[in-house]
Amino acid sequence: MSSPGGRRSVRTAADPPMAPEEALKHLKEGNMRFVKGEPQATRTNEGMRNALVDMGQAPHTAIVGCADSRAPLETIFDAMPGDVFVLRNAGNTCTHAEGSMVGSLEFCTGKLGARMILVMGHTKCGAVYGATHAYLEARKSDVVSVNSALEGLLLDLAPVAERALSDMGSSSDAESVAAHAVKVNVFHTIDFLLRYSESIRDKVRSGQVEIQGGLYHLDTGTVEFMGRSPRQTELLSSTHRGLPPSMTREGGRTSGYGPAARGMHGVRTAADSAVAADEALKMLQAGNERFAVGAPLAKNATAKMREALVSHGQAPHTAILGCADSRVPVDTVFDAMPGDLFVLRNAGNTCTHAEGSMVGSLEFCCGKLGSKLILVLGHTQCGAIAGATKTHLASKEGDASKNAGCALEGLLMGLSRVAKQAEKELGVGAETDKLIAHAVKVNVFTSIDFLLKYSEPLRQLVKSGNLEIQGGIYHLETGRVEFMGRSPHQAQLLASDSSLPPSLQALPIRTTTDGPMPPKEAMKLLKEGNDRFAVGAAIAGKISSDMRKALVKEGQAPHTAIIGCADSRAPLETVFDAMPGDIFVLRNAGNTCSHSEGSMVGSLEFCLGALNTKMVMVLGHTACGAIKGATATYMQCKAGRIPQVTRALDALLVGLSNVAKKASAELGERATEQQIVARTIKLNVFHTIDFLLQYSPLIREKVAAGEVEIQGGIYDLETGRVEFLGESANQASLVKSGAAMPPSLA
């Protein structure tokens, strides 16, 4: 729609949803205007921006595109703010941005009502070409290593390269295979969305949403619309209900308003020298000011400019991690030309679920392409942060789901930690609107801190002065960016020794060659592992053939022995995100020694004696069925009804009822059965610890000598977190016991 004078208006939530075929028509017409150099979406004003703020966004299309700075999506489709919801990473892929990409698209097609999704690759894509060449080289040497997030990104794009080679034939040259892989990758991403999002699948099946592919030709500026995935019909019949796998993890401008001082080809290319971080920041500030006052200078790239970008390659002066919100078209906000900015976008400008993709893409941009500035850009009225804040507040009230039911919920749950930190800084009771606004700021620095903590290449560039990472917030109401500078935690984070994001990390295994681990170090591993598990960032499980062989050849040397409950909801290795060889696990109903004395004590003595383990944990858990049964048995006895012991289970519950009796005595006559159960769970942990100290000379000697520690804990089934209870209060007296055997063996 155009307003008087040829100026286009903006789409808001006041407009009705646009049918997929109409949205596709808009995209094609916009691209035609871009190619002809007759754009209409060149100016915005205060009234338009206020309309987008007051009425909200209703983008007609969601686009998954490449972060390549030569492919600014809003510009290519001559789109106004509010038209398209843009997600971008290196390679327009879901390889490592699974939760982020799928969740963001579920948000756009659900909450925002978009009915068209376009997955768009582009010719000469560096990520896909790099992945193809890496795959072809790996086939020759059969040696693959991942030492950075970027290498992980390229490695996981290998199936695309493999399919392209299969299509083209083994005699094809690398360039031809790589060019075909770009198209294969587009449908690969579409297929991923249909496979792993029930929400999107249902909407496509019902005709509410259309997903199609496209290919942007850098040399001509035209978009080749490729239609639906050939596998759509097959994938729509899928009954897959799972989440994405990872979740089950201005170039050449001077400051001021003067004419653009472009590169030698009119746009920035690799033929131009690198731009220092402070100069790049000035370019961003000047470009944003031009945008805010409605005086943009950026022009359409001519055929010669596009040819230069293809032949000389890109050299963006800044990499930007921004939000996918259609009201924040990053290239437009900074009045940038193709080649200026390397843009990564997802809902919430976060690394919560897009770890490998985001970190790897930025390592590529700052390493291979030579960019010296990274800007993490949040924005006011952010829907993702608002949703995450409400998720956090609901969890405090006990109204939130404990587990993600879809990728979007997983994204919001991951971001809720940002809202929690914001509330901590503002104080409990802060108004929701103020809390959301502050969470936007906290989230910017959280993403910066993630990059500094988990990327060794980025840390080294920052340390050497070859890279700046700063934050900013785009104000929808004014069109201006608030530049916030570095993270307050930068100095301490530069000392991090992490080399990969959590979802790409692999834990080592322990064998006898590692030697005994001191109790304090073992406890540290337990706490760190449980924290990873509780926040959904587990990294254990990546086990190679060599690891399994080492465990057989060298033998086990577990750092901790755990006596836990057999309850299927409390899988101990999972709860502590442990690798095979880490934990020696003993389990029975009620984590007790009441009836399995010899088995438990003997097994534990083997672990501490033969395997030289130094840490023992007795772990109960909330809502324990055995403890509930034992408490019910105690209440029955208290009422004068003697329970019949006709099964082994009856005897187990009668034995545990003595612990419930003690809990009841401590709580007093007015205690409810539920209160007694909760207290019994805790007392039972120490009851088991005391039994071990009382009836095992070997355990007593090692504890008395300071060689072994025995501590207790309670696993909360709802939160996933372990409450560490420490040692038994009776330890000092019990190590003096003279008992040589458990009662049943004496």
Side-chain angles (χ1 to χ4, degrees):
M1 183 185 297
S2 298
S3 57
R7 177 177 292 178
R8 290 183 56 203
S9 60
V10 293
R11 276 187 62 80
T12 70
D15 296 304
M18 186 179 292
E21 58 271 21
E22 185 68 14
L24 193 61
K25 180 172 176 286
H26 276 265
L27 295 175
K28 291 179 178 179
E29 291 174 347
N31 179 240
M32 189 178 300
R33 292 193 299 272
F34 166 73
V35 173
K36 290 180 178 180
E38 300 172 351
Q40 295 178 5
T42 56
R43 301 290 174 91
T44 59
N45 57 36
E46 184 177 358
M48 293 177 181
R49 290 192 293 271
N50 285 336
L52 285 168
V53 174
D54 295 339
M55 299 179 188
Q57 63 174 319
H60 60 68
T61 301
I63 304 179
V64 177
C66 183
D68 195 302
S69 61
R70 300 167 293 181
L73 300 182
E74 290 89 357
T75 305
I76 288 169
F77 293 107
D78 189 31
M80 291 286 284
D83 280 353
V84 289
F85 188 91
V86 176
L87 305 167
R88 293 175 69 175
N89 62 22
N92 48 278
T93 179
C94 287
T95 301
H96 285 87
E98 304 166 352
S100 169
M101 290 297 185
V102 179
S104 299
L105 289 171
E106 288 178 351
F107 172 76
C108 187
T109 56
K111 181 72 174 177
L112 304 183
R115 298 186 59 193
M116 181 71 204
I117 297 174
L118 180 70
V119 177
M120 193 170 82
H122 67 89
T123 57
K124 299 293 184 181
C125 179
V128 177
Y129 273 56
T132 302
H133 288 295
Y135 169 73
L136 295 175
E137 287 301 313
R139 290 180 79 237
K140 297 175 184 177
S141 62
D142 202 29
V143 175
V144 179
S145 63
V146 176
N147 299 308
S148 69
L150 172 59
E151 291 177 0
L153 175 64
L154 298 183
L155 178 64
D156 281 356
L157 277 171
V160 171
E162 184 179 29
R163 173 65 184 273
L165 180 63
S166 175
D167 289 351
M168 298 291 290
S170 58
S171 61
S172 300
D173 62 274
E175 286 297 303
S176 299
V177 174
H180 182 60
V182 171
K183 289 190 175 183
V184 172
N185 186 50
V186 168
F187 291 123
H188 183 76
T189 298
I190 294 176
D191 293 348
F192 187 98
L193 298 174
L194 290 170
R195 181 180 294 113
Y196 287 108
S197 175
E198 183 179 359
S199 168
I200 293 174
R201 204 164 50 241
D202 287 345
K203 286 181 170 65
V204 172
R205 191 183 290 122
S206 66
Q208 289 181 268
V209 168
E210 181 81 12
I211 306 183
Q212 294 197 22
L215 181 66
Y216 174 62
H217 291 266
L218 292 175
D219 52 349
T220 66
T222 58
V223 174
E224 175 187 350
F225 292 87
M226 301 190 297
R228 300 172 177 174
S229 165
R231 297 187 60 203
Q232 176 168 303
T233 302
E234 169 193 344
L235 290 168
L236 289 182
S237 64
S238 167
T239 57
H240 185 87
R241 292 294 183 269
L243 291 168
S246 67
M247 299 178 69
T248 20
R249 312 159 21 291
E250 178 162 4
R253 283 194 185 272
T254 58
S255 59
Y257 296 95
R262 296 290 177 190
M264 64 178 69
H265 299 285
V267 288
R268 277 197 58 77
T269 71
D272 299 304
S273 58
V275 176
D278 57 346
E279 187 63 25
L281 190 61
K282 290 178 183 177
M283 293 174 182
L284 294 177
Q285 291 168 338
N288 177 242
E289 185 63 21
R290 290 192 299 274
F291 165 77
V293 300
L297 292 175
K299 307 294 183 182
N300 287 305
T302 64
K304 287 185 177 180
M305 291 177 183
R306 290 195 292 269
E307 182 182 346
L309 285 167
V310 174
S311 58
H312 294 284
Q314 62 176 318
H317 63 71
T318 301
I320 298 183
L321 171 54
C323 184
D325 195 299
S326 64
R327 299 168 293 179
V328 194
V330 174
D331 297 279
T332 307
V333 163
F334 292 107
D335 189 29
M337 285 284 284
D340 285 354
L341 306 178
F342 188 90
V343 180
L344 305 167
R345 295 175 67 175
N346 61 24
N349 47 278
T350 178
C351 290
T352 302
H353 289 85
E355 304 168 349
S357 169
M358 292 301 172
V359 180
S361 298
L362 289 170
E363 288 177 354
F364 170 74
C365 185
C366 299
K368 180 72 172 177
L369 303 182
S371 299
K372 297 185 181 300
L373 177 65
I374 294 174
L375 180 71
V376 176
L377 185 68
H379 68 90
T380 58
Q381 308 291 331
C382 180
I385 298 300
T389 302
K390 291 170 184 175
T391 296
H392 163 64
L393 295 175
S395 69
K396 289 179 60 182
E397 300 298 325
D399 297 331
S401 170
K402 303 299 180 184
N403 299 296
C406 65
L408 173 59
E409 289 180 9
L411 177 66
L412 297 182
M413 289 172 69
L415 278 172
S416 66
R417 297 194 296 276
V418 171
K420 182 178 181 181
Q421 177 63 30
E423 184 180 46
K424 180 180 178 182
E425 294 180 8
L426 290 184
V428 177
E431 295 178 14
T432 301
D433 287 347
K434 291 181 179 179
L435 184 58
I436 292 171
H438 189 58
V440 168
K441 182 176 181 178
V442 171
N443 185 51
V444 167
F445 288 124
T446 297
S447 292
I448 293 175
D449 293 349
F450 189 97
L451 297 175
L452 289 169
K453 183 175 182 180
Y454 290 112
S455 174
E456 175 64 17
L458 295 182
R459 279 198 305 273
Q460 290 304 322
L461 287 170
V462 172
K463 287 179 182 178
S464 65
N466 288 312
L467 176 65
E468 276 281 337
I469 306 181
Q470 298 197 19
I473 296 177
Y474 172 66
H475 291 262
L476 293 174
E477 303 83 352
T478 65
R480 284 183 165 85
V481 173
E482 174 190 355
F483 293 88
M484 301 190 297
R486 301 172 177 175
S487 165
H489 309 122
Q490 175 169 305
Q492 65 193 73
L493 287 168
L494 290 179
S496 170
D497 59 0
S498 296
S499 59
L500 286 171
S503 65
L504 299 180
Q505 292 177 13
L507 290 171
I509 55 163
R510 284 186 55 77
T511 69
T512 52
T513 60
D514 295 300
M517 179 177 289
K520 285 183 173 56
E521 290 185 26
M523 179 60 75
K524 180 173 179 287
L525 290 182
L526 293 176
K527 291 180 177 179
E528 290 175 347
N530 178 243
D531 188 60
R532 290 194 301 271
F533 165 76
V535 301
I539 59 178
K542 298 177 182 177
I543 308 162
S544 67
S545 174
D546 288 341
M547 290 178 176
R548 290 190 290 270
K549 290 177 182 177
L551 284 169
V552 174
K553 180 181 178 181
E554 307 295 344
Q556 63 174 317
H559 61 69
T560 301
I562 301 182
I563 295 179
C565 185
D567 194 300
S568 62
R569 299 168 295 177
L572 301 186
E573 290 91 344
T574 304
V575 165
F576 292 105
D577 192 28
M579 292 286 281
D582 282 352
I583 301 176
F584 189 89
V585 176
L586 304 169
R587 294 174 68 175
N588 62 22
N591 46 277
T592 178
C593 289
S594 295
H595 287 81
S596 53
E597 303 166 347
S599 170
M600 287 296 186
V601 178
S603 299
L604 200 56
E605 287 180 347
F606 167 76
C607 186
L608 304 186
L611 304 182
N612 214 9
T613 300
K614 306 293 184 184
M615 182 72 217
V616 178
M617 168 73 67
V618 176
L619 188 70
H621 67 87
T622 58
C624 179
I627 298 301
K628 286 181 179 179
T631 302
T633 298
Y634 159 69
M635 300 295 282
Q636 183 180 348
C637 292
K638 185 179 178 182
R641 301 190 301 274
I642 306 302
Q644 296 294 315
V645 180
T646 60
R647 303 169 299 170
L649 174 59
D650 298 329
L652 174 65
L653 298 182
V654 169
L656 283 172
S657 68
N658 292 324
V659 183
K661 180 179 180 180
K662 183 178 178 182
S664 177
E666 289 184 3
L667 293 173
E669 289 295 325
R670 295 185 178 181
T672 65
E673 186 169 345
Q674 186 176 4
Q675 290 172 327
I676 296 173
V677 168
R679 181 63 178 167
T680 303
I681 288 170
K682 184 173 183 178
L683 289 184
N684 186 54
V685 168
F686 290 118
H687 180 76
T688 298
I689 293 175
D690 292 349
F691 188 97
L692 298 173
L693 290 168
Q694 184 173 2
Y695 291 111
S696 172
L698 183 145
I699 294 175
R700 284 198 302 271
E701 290 169 8
K702 288 184 175 291
V703 170
E707 294 180 28
V708 169
E709 286 189 15
I710 306 182
Q711 297 194 27
I714 296 176
Y715 171 60
D716 190 315
L717 293 178
E718 293 188 357
T719 67
R721 294 195 177 274
V722 172
E723 176 189 1
F724 294 89
L725 302 175
E727 300 174 347
S728 168
N730 303 318
Q731 178 172 300
S733 59
L734 288 171
V735 294
K736 301 174 183 177
S737 168
M741 289 279 236
S744 64
L745 300 180

